[in-house]
């Protein structure tokens, strides 16, 4: 029995997330563009590795590919905020027993948080209280 991709969507790997970040930030792109961005932003990646991974991501339903032109254009097939939300929920559940408080205490305790960032957090909390 075939399962619907939307119902049981594959979770992106770290490398797949890097590609998704490029596409979410820059929109539909060719493999060359994505590969160049990865090399600028992350680390040295071979073009053929990026191509193969993006082909796999199409098969997994993470990307869509427009083959109407000579250069194929890839687009993220999953929504950025929903994907980040699912991954964050899983992270909090796994590492912090589902406690957002524990996560926030860890974050604020480990990093030097600027006054500007703390003010933004306070504003967010005020909005959530309303």
């Amino acid at each position: 029995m075939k399962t619907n991709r939307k119902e049981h969507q594959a979770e992106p790997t770290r490398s797949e997330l890097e590609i998704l970040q490029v596409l979410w930030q820059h929109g539909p792109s060719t493999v060359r563009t994505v590969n160049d961005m990865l090399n600028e932003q992350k680390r040295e990646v071979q073009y053929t590795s990026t191509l193969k991974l993006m082909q796999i991501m199409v098969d997994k339903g993470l990307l869509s590919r427009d083959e109407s032109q000579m250069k194929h254009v890839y687009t993220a097939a999953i929504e950025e905020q929903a994907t980040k939300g699912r991954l964050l929920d899983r992270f909090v559940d796994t590492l912090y027993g589902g406690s957002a408080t524990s996560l926030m205490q860890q974050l604020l305790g480990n990093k030097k948080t600027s006054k500007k960032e703390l003010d933004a957090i306070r504003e967010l909390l005020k909005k959530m209280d309303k």
Side-chain angles (χ1 to χ4, degrees), residues 21-58:
Q21 282 293 129
V22 170
L23 292 172
W24 286 329
Q25 188 173 31
H26 300 283
S29 303
T30 63
V31 174
R32 172 63 60 205
T33 301
V34 171
N35 191 74
D36 289 347
M37 296 297 250
L38 291 173
N39 284 326
E40 286 175 23
Q41 298 172 358
K42 302 289 180 184
R43 63 187 186 293
E44 189 68 26
V45 182
Q46 295 297 316
Y47 174 85
T48 53
S49 298
T50 303
L51 172 62
K52 182 64 178 168
L53 186 54
M54 290 176 74
Q55 290 169 337
I56 290 168
M57 291 173 73
V58 168

Side-chain angles (χ1 to χ4, degrees), residues 89-108:
D89 286 347
R90 185 169 155 259
F91 176 79
V92 172
D93 286 345
T94 302
L95 291 171
Y96 296 95
S99 171
T101 301
S102 294
L103 170 64
M104 290 306 297
Q105 288 172 334
Q106 182 81 40
L107 279 172
L108 295 173

Side-chain angles (χ1 to χ4, degrees), residues 6 43 74-75 98 100 107 112 124 127:
K6 299 270 186 216
R43 63 187 186 293
Y74 291 79
T75 305
L107 279 172
K112 178 68 178 149
L124 178 62
K127 286 179 186 175

Side-chain angles (χ1 to χ4, degrees), residues 2-19:
K2 260 189 171 177
T3 59
N4 185 339
R5 275 189 186 152
K6 299 270 186 216
E7 290 173 13
H8 185 60
Q9 196 168 63
E11 188 172 292
T13 65
R14 182 178 298 204
S15 295
E16 290 169 345
L17 279 170
E18 289 176 350
I19 289 170

Side-chain angles (χ1 to χ4, degrees), residues 62-81:
L62 300 173
L63 300 181
S64 60
R65 176 176 52 223
D66 177 358
E67 300 175 1
S68 63
Q69 304 291 320
M70 192 163 96
K71 291 182 178 182
H72 296 174
V73 176
Y74 291 79
T75 305
I78 57 176
E79 203 271 322
E80 180 178 9
Q81 293 308 318

Side-chain angles (χ1 to χ4, degrees), residues 108 113-125:
L108 295 173
T113 309
S114 71
K115 176 160 177 24
K116 184 178 178 181
E117 290 170 321
L118 288 172
D119 289 342
I121 292 167
R122 283 186 191 96
E123 280 301 311
L124 178 62
L125 292 172

